Amino acid sequence: LSWRNREGQQFTRQLVYFLCGFDGIVLADMDGAYLYTADYFDRYSDSLYGSISVEEKSALENMDEQTIQQIIEKREDLLTDLAAAYAEAGLAVTVNQETGEIVMDSSVLFGVDSSEISAEGQEFLTRFIQVYTSVVFNEKYNGFVSTIMVEGHTDTSGDYDYNLELSQKRADSVKA
């Protein structure tokens, strides 16, 4: 990441960030969140200073290689621990080690053209959440995850607008 401060001074840093969809970008370590942007598209910006506080700016500028490496390792550990916990629980879930995205087969949760969670889906979600919270809220990761995003998806058949609305309803059902 390269940017210029308001005085024109050039900065270059290697940063690890978590893309949280339309909610923004979060850079976090054991001590807290260093960066949160309200705009998802800020990741394309040369300057993030407009989106962060003076304290966050200072934390970014003073972050050393060891701290960055600790963030990377903690993220890798979290994703590995999640994948292992889901496998141990016998849940068909994929944890993407690159993005951190957790994917499950939506047919377990919903019928075709439906946003109502099936009885089997309710049972699956209960087990899924128990495993997720047992890992994410473990003392080892205390304060590391600052945002959780739920997305809903559909197949490609049907009208785009209808599928977009169905996707939102599915995500809302899961959150509820």
Side-chain angles (χ1 to χ4, degrees):
L1 175 66
S2 294
W3 70 95
R4 291 188 186 279
N5 66 12
R6 290 187 177 106
E7 291 78 37
Q9 185 179 11
Q10 179 74 31
F11 290 90
T12 302
R13 297 281 191 268
Q14 179 183 1
L15 302 174
V16 176
Y17 68 88
F18 302 94
L19 181 59
C20 300
F22 290 104
D23 292 328
I25 301 168
V26 176
L27 175 62
D29 71 2
M30 297 157 279
D31 299 320
Y34 288 107
L35 174 64
Y36 175 79
T37 64
D39 187 352
Y40 164 85
F41 295 102
D42 279 350
R43 75 183 194 279
Y44 296 115
S45 174
D46 288 334
S47 174
L48 295 175
Y49 280 141
S51 301
I52 63 175
S53 70
V54 172
E55 294 81 18
E56 290 168 325
K57 174 184 167 187
S58 176
L60 285 171
E61 290 175 350
N62 294 314
M63 193 175 291
D64 60 23
E65 289 297 319
Q66 181 180 1
T67 302
I68 293 171
Q69 189 58 40
Q70 288 173 340
I71 294 169
I72 293 168
E73 290 171 6
K74 191 168 217 172
R75 179 187 181 278
E76 290 171 352
D77 289 349
L78 174 62
L79 298 177
T80 299
D81 288 352
L82 279 168
Y86 285 124
E88 185 178 315
L91 293 172
V93 171
T94 303
V95 178
N96 185 318
Q97 296 291 320
E98 300 248 340
T99 65
E101 183 177 61
I102 302 171
V103 180
M104 64 190 75
D105 182 359
S106 66
S107 67
V108 170
L109 303 178
F110 304 102
V112 174
D113 197 34
S114 174
S115 63
E116 186 175 325
I117 300 174
S118 67
E120 178 186 13
Q122 289 283 357
E123 187 178 311
F124 178 88
L125 277 177
T126 298
R127 291 177 54 216
F128 174 88
I129 294 298
Q130 288 171 341
V131 171
Y132 183 83
T133 56
S134 74
V135 174
V136 171
F137 296 126
N138 181 295
E139 187 176 311
K140 180 178 178 181
Y141 302 110
N142 187 24
F144 191 69
V145 175
S146 61
T147 303
I148 299 169
M149 187 171 84
V150 177
E151 293 181 359
H153 296 278
T154 66
D155 60 25
T156 57
S157 64
D159 178 71
Y160 172 81
D161 290 331
Y162 176 80
N163 283 339
L164 186 63
E165 183 178 337
L166 179 58
S167 295
Q168 184 61 52
K169 287 179 179 178
R170 285 181 170 183
D172 291 342
S173 291
V174 169
K175 287 190 277 187

